[in-house]
């Protein structure tokens, strides 16, 4: 297990103060989730209550609450021999995850074409440009990509869909490194994002959904290719 406190040390004092006002279980939950997002905790890492309690500065009870919540979300699993571990996704789980992404994000794109405001569409276009300008910086590319998809979710104007998609997106952290480290995939993603936004700008729900599904499909192919090559 890497050293999660590194990320915490970078937080501002005001952020620290706000988090300290949260219940212990919520603080522990957010801390571990952030460590997963930053890949400071990796699939297969053991999560020991005593170590986490010391790192976060809490008793074991809120740590236990946070781990139970994360287990219910599929982000951690309980192994009879090793205890609580960060979940690892196998081939079947990856294909199921991408199937749901294609369906749900396709629906989000369709709804965005129907409901997104001109301001929201303009922001999506700005994010496409930001992504293109991030080429060469893998960390910034991943961040720009995440922001684009989260903005797309918000443009659907469906709170229930947004909630499900955010949970699904969190599970992507278990896949490890992004597929956007491949130069060709980066270039293709620029075109795919632009195609999605162009369809939303035209208020064409069918085209928007089709473009988004094609984007997720291409990403899935790259992910599975990597998964097979690493076996």
């Amino acid at each position: 297990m890497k050293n999660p406190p590194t990320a915490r040390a970078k937080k501002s004092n005001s952020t620290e103060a706000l988090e300290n006002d949260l219940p212990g279980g919520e603080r522990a939950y957010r801390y571990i989730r952030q460590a997963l997002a930053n890949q400071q905790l990796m699939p297969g890492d053991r999560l020991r209550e005593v170590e986490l309690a010391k790192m976060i500065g809490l008793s074991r009870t809120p740590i236990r609450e946070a781990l139970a919540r994360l287990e219910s979300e599929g982000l951690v699993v309980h192994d009879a021999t090793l205890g609580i571990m960060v979940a690892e996704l196998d081939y079947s789980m990856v294909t199921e995850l991408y199937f749901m992404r294609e369906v749900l994000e396709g629906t989000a794109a369709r709804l965005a074409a129907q409901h997104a405001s001109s301001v929201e569409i303009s922001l999506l276009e700005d994010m496409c440009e930001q992504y293109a300008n991030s080429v060469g910086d893998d960390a910034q590319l991943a961040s720009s990509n995440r922001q684009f998809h989260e903005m797309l979710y918000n443009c659907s104007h469906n709170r229930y869909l947004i909630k499900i998609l955010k949970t699904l997106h969190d599970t992507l952290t278990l896949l490890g490194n992004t597929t956007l480290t491949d130069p060709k995939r980066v270039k293709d993603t620029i075109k795919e994002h632009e195609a999605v936004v162009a369809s939303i700008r035209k208020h064409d729900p069918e085209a928007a959904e089709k473009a988004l599904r094609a984007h997720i499909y291409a990403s899935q192919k790259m992910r599975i290719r990597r998964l097979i090559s690493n076996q």
Side-chain angles (χ1 to χ4, degrees):
M1 183 170 68
K2 296 183 182 179
N3 188 14
T6 302
R8 189 173 179 83
K10 295 179 181 178
K11 293 182 180 179
S12 66
N13 291 333
S14 59
T15 302
E16 290 274 4
L18 287 172
E19 290 200 353
N20 287 336
D21 290 336
L22 295 171
E26 182 65 24
R27 283 176 57 198
Y29 172 78
R30 294 190 182 191
Y31 182 96
I32 298 170
R33 282 285 299 272
Q34 188 62 45
L36 289 169
N38 292 341
Q39 295 186 359
Q40 293 167 315
L41 289 173
M42 299 296 291
D45 280 352
R46 294 179 65 183
L47 301 176
R48 299 175 176 86
E49 290 181 9
V50 174
E51 290 182 3
L52 289 169
K54 184 177 180 180
M55 288 176 182
I56 306 173
L58 295 169
S59 68
R60 293 176 64 180
T61 298
I63 300 299
R64 199 171 295 122
E65 292 174 3
L67 291 175
R69 184 174 170 186
L70 290 163
E71 185 174 8
S72 72
E73 295 175 352
L75 296 177
V76 305
V77 294
H78 186 273
D79 182 271
T81 303
L82 300 175
I84 298 292
M85 303 171 59
V86 178
E88 296 181 275
L89 301 183
D90 59 22
Y91 179 88
S92 295
M93 296 168 75
V94 170
T95 56
E96 290 168 10
L97 174 62
Y98 272 93
F99 172 80
M100 292 308 300
R101 282 194 70 194
E102 188 176 329
V103 172
L104 296 176
E105 292 198 36
T107 300
R110 170 179 285 272
L111 291 174
Q114 296 172 318
H115 304 299
S117 68
S118 59
V119 171
E120 289 171 326
I121 295 172
S122 180
L123 283 171
L124 283 172
E125 291 170 338
D126 289 346
M127 289 178 177
C128 283
E129 183 177 352
Q130 176 183 321
Y131 179 88
N133 291 335
S134 300
V135 174
D137 185 336
D138 291 347
Q140 185 57 46
L141 269 176
S143 176
S144 297
N145 185 62
R146 182 172 59 253
Q147 291 174 31
F148 174 82
H149 282 270
E150 289 180 352
M151 185 63 202
L152 180 67
Y153 304 162
N154 290 330
C155 287
S156 73
H157 290 273
N158 186 304
R159 70 191 69 184
Y160 302 105
L161 180 60
I162 292 169
K163 183 176 181 179
I164 294 170
L165 279 168
K166 286 185 175 179
T167 300
L168 194 66
H169 195 269
D170 289 338
T171 309
L172 291 175
T173 61
L174 301 177
L175 293 174
N177 292 334
T178 174
T179 59
L180 300 177
T181 54
D182 180 85
K184 183 180 184 304
R185 183 70 201 124
V186 171
K187 291 180 180 179
D188 289 344
T189 298
I190 293 172
K191 296 176 182 178
E192 291 161 10
H193 282 181
E194 290 174 346
V196 172
V197 178
S199 297
I200 293 173
R201 168 67 75 182
K202 294 176 182 177
H203 300 289
D204 187 336
E206 290 187 9
E209 180 174 0
K210 182 178 180 180
L212 198 288
R213 280 176 170 264
H215 170 55
I216 300 300
Y217 179 79
S219 179
Q220 180 183 9
K221 284 181 64 178
M222 173 63 72
R223 178 65 68 180
I224 290 177
R225 189 178 296 120
R226 284 190 175 183
L227 189 64
I228 292 174
S229 66
N230 290 333
Q231 288 180 345

